[in-house]
Amino acid sequence: MEKPKDDQELAEEVRSSVDEAWPLFVDFLKKKQARVTQARKIVLRKVFSRHDHFCADDLAAELSSGLDHVSRGTVYRTLALMEEAGFVRVIRNTDGHAHYEHVFNHPNHEHMICDVCGEFIEFSDDRIAERIALACGQKNFAQRTYRIVVFGTCEACGR
Amino acid sequence: MEKPKDDQELAEEVRSSVDEAWPLFVDFLKKKQARVTQARKIVLRKVFSRHDHFCADDLAAELSSGLDHVSRGTVYRTLALMEEAGFVRVIRNTDGHAHYEHVFNHPNHEHMICDVCGEFIEFSDDRIAERIALACGQKNFAQRTYRIVVFGTCEACGR
DNA sequence: ATTACTGCAAAGCATTTGCAAATGC
DNA sequence: GCATTTGCAAATGCTTTGCAGTAAT
């Protein structure tokens, strides 16, 4: 049973996610012989300051015009790194945009996307993961990750 | 137990798919008060003349320079119609291209995409469909369709 | 000091769109 | 005959890239 989170709890969770994620990202960069830069820290912090899903371009827009300035190109490059590091997932909608979400402190879950309002609804089901693993075994396919998107109409829009 | 299909059987299957699909597409267009045109027929035939997956742009390229000429814009517009009609599915790869496949005479199935060679491997599992339906029920989400893509390495590339 | 990263603006590229001509109804 | 479609080419919009300057090691 999970009670709704209030603002303070959310803020807490954000802080801890960034605090946990950053050192891990630093490790990842070092292992890769890449550099630990301000821009990368700013992008990571921004990504974890959001709870919802966001699209690359919006993030780039926000960061390329604020105080902690990071250029569009760098935002895209950093998001690619973060995906490689496994901190972030891409979900390609039917529109051309790349939607991202962070996966840190966030159990495996999939999405329903409402055709009408575009809302993302999360769900998860361990059984599905099992069946997918099974199918991969049968095809001798070494699974790295998978993505499920269900399209349809959400409760609010259906009424 | 299914035996491998030889060329003649494949040709047969293609012919019958087109022959079955076209009248249905005509119905769809009429219901929509849209027009039954040559261009739409040509695109549909081309889509069903392919067994594999294809990307919108390749199809457009082939059709915009052949004898049965259809312009790029029209190919894109027609593919959108065919998707709406449920004859075709889009699978978005990580590259920006839209990959299509026809779903007529083709049971529900999902895909594994090899990171190395880009091959599409089909698989299906009714259990997964059940679990997804269940999850949608729980969220009061009216499911229209869904897509699963598993990323990883295929058998050949894994060796 | 060396090498990688960033910012900027320009290029890329699949897809969409506006509009005049063509076609289906 | 009238409205929808088509073809073409130009525009769009997200994303990537080249390069000169800047920052990290």
Side-chain angles (χ1 to χ4, degrees):
Chain A
M1 291 304 100
E2 208 173 307
K3 68 176 167 59
K5 292 165 185 166
D6 65 28
D7 288 351
Q8 199 181 334
E9 279 171 309
L10 284 178
E12 194 57 48
E13 195 178 299
V14 169
R15 206 173 312 124
S16 65
S17 288
V18 181
D19 292 347
E20 283 179 64
W22 177 241
L24 291 172
F25 194 43
V26 170
D27 287 351
F28 169 82
L29 292 171
K30 292 210 165 137
K31 229 170 262 159
K32 222 178 163 334
Q33 310 205 54
R35 290 183 180 165
V36 179
T37 65
Q38 279 308 306
R40 286 170 180 168
K41 191 175 197 170
I42 293 167
V43 174
L44 182 138
R45 180 177 296 134
K46 194 75 174 183
V47 166
F48 280 96
S49 76
R50 293 162 157 265
H51 270 277
D52 53 339
H53 304 82
F54 58 92
C55 67
D57 207 51
D58 287 352
L59 194 86
E62 284 182 36
L63 282 174
S64 60
S65 66
L67 180 57
D68 285 338
H69 180 280
V70 180
S71 72
R72 272 199 139 66
T74 300
V75 171
Y76 278 96
R77 284 182 279 228
T78 307
L79 283 173
L81 275 175
M82 289 184 65
E83 201 201 356
E84 194 186 334
F87 288 87
V88 127
R89 289 211 304 177
V90 196
I91 304 128
R92 277 180 198 274
N93 207 342
T94 14
D95 57 16
H97 314 210
H99 288 254
Y100 281 87
E101 63 175 358
H102 62 264
V103 293
F104 204 75
N105 276 342
H106 207 1
N108 251 11
H109 62 275
E110 303 306 330
H111 299 90
M112 301 170 188
I113 303 180
C114 178
D115 290 331
V116 183
C117 65
E119 197 194 350
F120 280 59
I121 298 159
E122 302 185 352
F123 74 97
S124 65
D125 184 340
D126 293 340
R127 294 289 177 73
I128 293 177
E130 285 167 21
R131 302 298 303 185
I132 287 176
L134 187 67
C136 290
Q138 286 168 356
K139 302 279 183 186
N140 287 314
F141 187 85
Q143 158 187 10
R144 176 170 56 79
T145 183
Y146 65 84
R147 219 120 303 169
I148 301 176
V149 185
V150 185
F151 298 95
T153 311
C154 77
E155 187 173 13
C157 295
R159 282 196 237 102
Chain B
M1 289 307 99
E2 209 175 306
K3 68 176 169 60
K5 293 163 185 169
D6 65 27
D7 287 351
Q8 198 180 333
E9 280 171 308
L10 283 180
E12 192 58 47
E13 195 178 298
V14 169
R15 205 174 312 124
S16 66
S17 288
V18 180
D19 292 347
E20 283 180 63
W22 177 240
L24 291 173
F25 194 41
V26 171
D27 286 350
F28 170 82
L29 292 171
K30 293 208 165 138
K31 227 169 265 161
K32 223 179 159 341
Q33 310 205 56
R35 290 182 180 165
V36 179
T37 64
Q38 279 307 306
R40 285 170 181 169
K41 192 176 197 168
I42 293 167
V43 174
L44 182 138
R45 180 178 295 133
K46 193 74 175 183
V47 166
F48 280 97
S49 77
R50 292 162 157 266
H51 269 277
D52 53 340
H53 304 82
F54 58 91
C55 66
D57 207 51
D58 288 353
L59 194 87
E62 283 181 36
L63 282 175
S64 60
S65 66
L67 180 56
D68 286 337
H69 181 281
V70 179
S71 74
R72 273 200 140 66
T74 301
V75 171
Y76 278 96
R77 284 183 278 228
T78 307
L79 283 173
L81 275 175
M82 290 185 65
E83 201 202 355
E84 194 186 332
F87 288 86
V88 126
R89 289 212 303 177
V90 197
I91 303 126
R92 278 180 198 274
N93 206 340
T94 14
D95 57 15
H97 313 212
H99 289 254
Y100 281 89
E101 65 176 354
H102 61 264
V103 292
F104 204 74
N105 277 344
H106 207 1
N108 251 10
H109 62 273
E110 303 305 331
H111 298 90
M112 301 170 189
I113 304 180
C114 178
D115 290 331
V116 183
C117 66
E119 197 195 350
F120 279 60
I121 298 160
E122 301 184 352
F123 74 98
S124 63
D125 183 341
D126 293 340
R127 293 289 177 73
I128 293 177
E130 285 167 22
R131 302 296 304 184
I132 287 176
L134 187 67
C136 290
Q138 286 169 355
K139 302 278 184 186
N140 287 314
F141 188 84
Q143 158 186 11
R144 176 171 55 80
T145 183
Y146 64 85
R147 219 120 304 169
I148 300 175
V149 184
V150 186
F151 298 95
T153 311
C154 77
E155 187 173 12
C157 295
R159 279 196 237 106

